[in-house]
Amino acid sequence: MEKDNVNTVKYPALLDIKFIKVASSLGMTKRELFVKMVEYFYRTKKDPSDINDDLLKSSFAKSHKTYTSFIKTQEQLLLIPMKEAMDKMISNQKDIVKYFNEQVVNANKSILKNQLEQKAKLQETENLLIKVIEGKEKLKVNFLQILNSYIRNREELGSFKTREKEELVESVRKQISNL
């Protein structure tokens, strides 16, 4: 600041109180604040008497309209189609999960039912096989008893008693058929 060319400005005392408050709140002297104000209005070409600053408002409004139109365009071009596609995809995935769950549950029930049936039939087959094996062993024992009895009785009869031999053979056949 040039100290040799100093000019004075006269203004009311009430305005000086406001001027001091503004300068102290900004951490400047009154002279520094005055220089900054003049420089600000000179560079921005704003009208200090226009408190609402229509130029600034119109600049903000223009920027706001530009941003708003950009956002609306993006919404129409990108966001709405993406949301619709996502909603459709979510719906399709829900249908797939529902269908999959139904199929899996039904398949699991069917498999479980078949496994239980197989288990029951396998148990029946096992029981039958045990009976057959036990019966086979009993049959062998009984057959051996009949055979041994036949051999012993035949040897006791001798070779000349044909009628008695035929009765013995018939008796053995009946015993074997009763097994």
Side-chain angles (χ1 to χ4, degrees), residues 99-135:
Y99 178 76
F100 181 75
N101 285 340
E102 288 173 358
Q103 292 300 316
V104 168
V105 167
N106 290 339
N108 286 346
K109 286 179 181 178
S110 175
I111 289 171
L112 182 61
K113 179 184 170 192
N114 291 339
Q115 285 178 340
L116 292 175
E117 288 175 4
Q118 280 183 331
K119 182 180 176 183
K121 288 184 180 186
L122 186 62
Q123 187 65 41
E124 288 176 22
T125 306
E126 186 178 331
N127 292 340
L128 183 62
L129 188 60
I130 290 171
K131 288 180 182 178
V132 167
I133 291 172
E134 289 174 354

Side-chain angles (χ1 to χ4, degrees), residues 11-50:
Y11 50 89
L14 289 173
L15 185 61
D16 189 49
I17 295 171
K18 291 179 184 176
F19 193 42
I20 291 170
K21 284 183 181 179
V22 171
S24 66
S25 70
L26 295 174
M28 298 183 205
T29 63
K30 290 192 309 184
R31 180 179 276 171
E32 291 171 337
L33 179 60
F34 182 75
V35 170
K36 298 266 184 196
M37 286 188 317
V38 170
E39 194 64 33
Y40 173 78
F41 288 115
Y42 180 76
R43 286 188 182 177
T44 61
K45 299 186 181 3
K46 293 184 180 182
D47 183 7
S49 64
D50 185 12

